[in-house]
Amino acid sequence: MSKVFKALGHPTRTRILEALGQYPKTYSNLVRDIGLDPQVYAGTFNHHLKVLMEASLVEKSKNRSEYRLTSIGKTVLDFAGKTTDLYIKKEREVDTQ
């Protein structure tokens, strides 16, 4: 479980999860979709992808060379979205008091 929390602890990794929440993507499309220049950030991006894979949130398909969310990754992304929604709702309640 600590690997999952570590994986969620960096904004680049959460952007990767959100991008893969739409559909599987190739390495180049994924780098582009999260707004990184692959020639500048290739090493950093690979590190973040490795952390997500070690936490079993992302996997690489064997036949198409695409990255996709695992079932755990989908659950974590859904949970993060719901938690964010609840947090925003709570903040609005505090602001109106």
Side-chain angles (χ1 to χ4, degrees):
M1 185 128 123
S2 63
K3 287 183 179 184
V4 171
F5 286 112
K6 176 184 176 184
L8 295 174
H10 195 282
T12 298
R13 292 192 286 268
T14 56
R15 287 195 342 245
I16 292 169
L17 290 176
E18 289 168 348
L20 290 175
Q22 300 164 6
Y23 51 85
K25 297 181 183 205
T26 62
Y27 179 90
S28 353
N29 287 338
L30 187 53
V31 173
R32 185 193 68 230
D33 287 355
I34 65 164
L36 294 179
D37 180 345
Q39 294 182 355
V40 176
Y41 294 103
T44 301
F45 182 79
N46 285 334
H47 166 74
H48 290 306
L49 204 50
K50 181 180 175 186
V51 170
L52 291 167
M53 292 175 78
E54 287 175 350
S56 299
L57 301 177
V58 172
E59 64 187 2
K60 186 175 180 183
S61 67
K62 292 177 176 82
N63 58 349
R64 298 197 63 209
S65 297
E66 290 180 326
Y67 293 89
R68 62 183 176 220
L69 292 180
T70 63
S71 59
I72 297 168
K74 290 175 187 175
T75 301
V76 167
L77 186 61
D78 183 53
F79 173 77
K82 288 178 181 176
T83 303
T84 300
D85 292 345
L86 288 171
Y87 181 77
I88 290 169
K89 181 180 175 185
K90 184 68 173 171
E91 278 190 334
R92 287 182 183 151
E93 289 173 1
V94 169
D95 288 344
T96 59
Q97 293 178 355

